[in-house]
Amino acid sequence: MASTEPPPGAQEWVPPHPRSIAELKDAAAGCRGCELHENATQTVFGRGAEQARIVFVGEQPGDVEDQRGLPFVGPAGRLLREAVDDAGIDPAELYISNAVKHFRFEMRGKRRIHQTPGPAHITACRPWLVAEFSLLQPELVVVLGATAAKALLGPSFRVTRSRGRLMPWPASAEHPEDFPVAEIQVLATIHPSAVLRADSREIAYRGLVDDLKVAATA
């Protein structure tokens, strides 16, 4: 017999008419839109200026972020801050968030090892991104890595093919009608964690900075 359970998703927890990012963050703390909340320490919501001109969207919080409750405060976050500085972007004009707000991991001994969020997690968490964009209305969206690209630009988008190129937003979005924002621009690049894993960190880092310089001049 078919299940009568509603499909998972965060929409039930998203306030219908949020007035601030703080209100969204408070509501997200209780989100049960997918099973990831069961093992994660806490919801890790976006942070930054509500009048941000640029919004960065990454994949999900990592182990450090899960423990501290803030996005991009681990090794990848430190590298991203360096890249932002080297690209000439003012950190005061940034808001940074993730496509998935809970840490997905598996235990290996006593260590929590990152697992990439699946399509169901991306879909379940998407209402939070939509709500964030409805309040922020930035001038530019920077998509960091494949998971964020799938969440915002659709499952067929490939960062390796289109990185560093300005595209119209939300026309480029998966279901653009979800995003009630004026037409702005979007740019995709690698996630800073990919730099940390690269055979040549110097070359990978230079590529990330070059992409962000495009964003800076936009």
Side-chain angles (χ1 to χ4, degrees), residues 70-194:
L70 295 168
F72 285 90
V73 291
R78 289 194 294 272
L79 187 143
L80 180 61
R81 287 194 294 277
E82 292 174 11
V84 163
D85 288 342
D86 287 345
I89 297 173
D90 183 356
E93 296 185 342
L94 296 183
Y95 179 90
I96 192 159
S97 192
N98 281 304
V100 174
K101 312 299 192 200
H102 284 112
F103 181 33
R104 188 186 190 202
F105 62 91
E106 63 178 1
M107 296 299 301
R108 292 185 192 168
K110 295 183 178 180
R111 296 180 63 208
R112 303 194 302 176
I113 305 300
H114 164 277
Q115 279 191 305
T116 301
H121 306 122
I122 294 170
T123 300
C125 220
R126 182 182 171 88
W128 292 117
L129 273 185
V130 172
E132 284 174 292
F133 276 103
S134 70
L135 287 172
L136 293 165
Q137 301 192 14
E139 296 176 20
L140 176 68
V141 179
V142 176
V143 178
L144 301 170
T147 299
K150 289 175 183 176
L152 288 173
L153 304 173
S156 63
F157 186 86
R158 296 291 179 269
V159 173
T160 50
R161 285 205 302 259
S162 302
R163 62 178 292 185
R165 194 174 79 220
L166 291 168
M167 296 170 286
W169 173 272
S172 302
E174 176 87 335
H175 302 300
E177 67 278 2
D178 288 350
F179 295 93
V181 296
E183 185 167 313
I184 52 179
Q185 296 186 97
V186 60
L187 178 142
T189 187
I190 58 172
H191 195 283
S193 62

